[in-house]
């Protein structure tokens, strides 16, 4: 028996690798900060842990959140817990792959709408944009 789900989900995922100088204690702190971010009210489900892909790609860990819709995504992006966690996380990242994200919303404009949310966050928080620029290798899928 199948059930019909009324909720649209946007799945946002990151793959990342730590800087060589990041200690085990700092790694644990980064993962704890990510788990706090993944537990905010706008997140429907999450996973933070080891990356199971090819180690040669340089990604050791992953982060994934399921978010109900664009309004929830915007709340997630601007949540004080998320904003406070980024300065704890970002300085320890050597590599970051953002996406590919996916959604069960088939709106052909959804990707552009998500990018527009990101652009508004960059404009509102220029210090966040500068912090992101400190990551040596960022790939957006």
């Amino acid at each position: 028996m199948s059930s019909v789900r009324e909720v649209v989900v946007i799945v946002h995922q990151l793959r990342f690798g730590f800087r060589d100088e990041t200690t085990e204690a700092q790694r644990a702190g980064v993962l704890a900060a990510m788990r706090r971010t993944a537990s905010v009210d706008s997140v429907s489900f999450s996973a933070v842990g080891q990356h199971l892909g090819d180690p040669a790609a340089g990604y050791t860990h992953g982060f994934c959140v399921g978010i109900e819709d664009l309004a929830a995504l915007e709340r997630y992006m601007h949540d004080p817990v998320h904003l406070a966690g980024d300065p704890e996380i970002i300085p320890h990242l050597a590599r970051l792959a953002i996406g590919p994200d996916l959604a069960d919303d088939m709106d052909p404009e959804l990707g552009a709408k998500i990018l527009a949310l990101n652009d508004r966050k960059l404009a509102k928080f220029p210090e966040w944009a500068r912090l992101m620029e400190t990551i040596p290798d960022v790939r957006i899928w």
Side-chain angles (χ1 to χ4, degrees), residues 25-38:
Q26 290 169 323
R27 288 176 187 224
V30 166
L31 296 175
M34 287 183 158
R35 288 184 181 104
R36 282 193 303 276
T37 298

Side-chain angles (χ1 to χ4, degrees), residues 55-69:
Y59 303 110
T60 57
H61 292 78
F63 171 93
C64 176
V65 290
I67 298 174
E68 184 175 343
D69 56 24

Side-chain angles (χ1 to χ4, degrees), residues 91-133:
H92 296 286
L93 303 183
R95 301 183 62 112
L96 176 64
I98 303 170
D101 290 349
L102 63 103
D104 59 3
D105 180 340
M106 299 308 291
D107 176 357
E109 300 299 318
L110 184 60
K113 291 173 183 177
I114 291 170
L115 286 175
L117 286 178
N118 189 67
D119 289 346
R120 286 196 296 275
K121 182 178 178 181
L122 289 169
K124 185 173 182 175
F125 300 103
E127 67 279 6
W128 180 72
R130 286 190 296 276
L131 190 59
M132 288 295 293
E133 291 171 358

Side-chain angles (χ1 to χ4, degrees), residues 26-82:
Q26 290 169 323
R27 288 176 187 224
V30 166
L31 296 175
M34 287 183 158
R35 288 184 181 104
R36 282 193 303 276
T37 298
S39 69
V40 300
D41 288 341
S42 54
V43 172
S44 300
F45 63 86
S46 66
V48 177
Q50 69 173 317
H51 179 255
L52 300 175
D54 182 1
Y59 303 110
T60 57
H61 292 78
F63 171 93
C64 176
V65 290
I67 298 174
E68 184 175 343
D69 56 24
L70 282 172
L73 179 61
E74 188 165 27
R75 287 192 311 276
Y76 164 78
M77 292 172 76
H78 296 270
D79 191 290
V81 172
H82 188 178

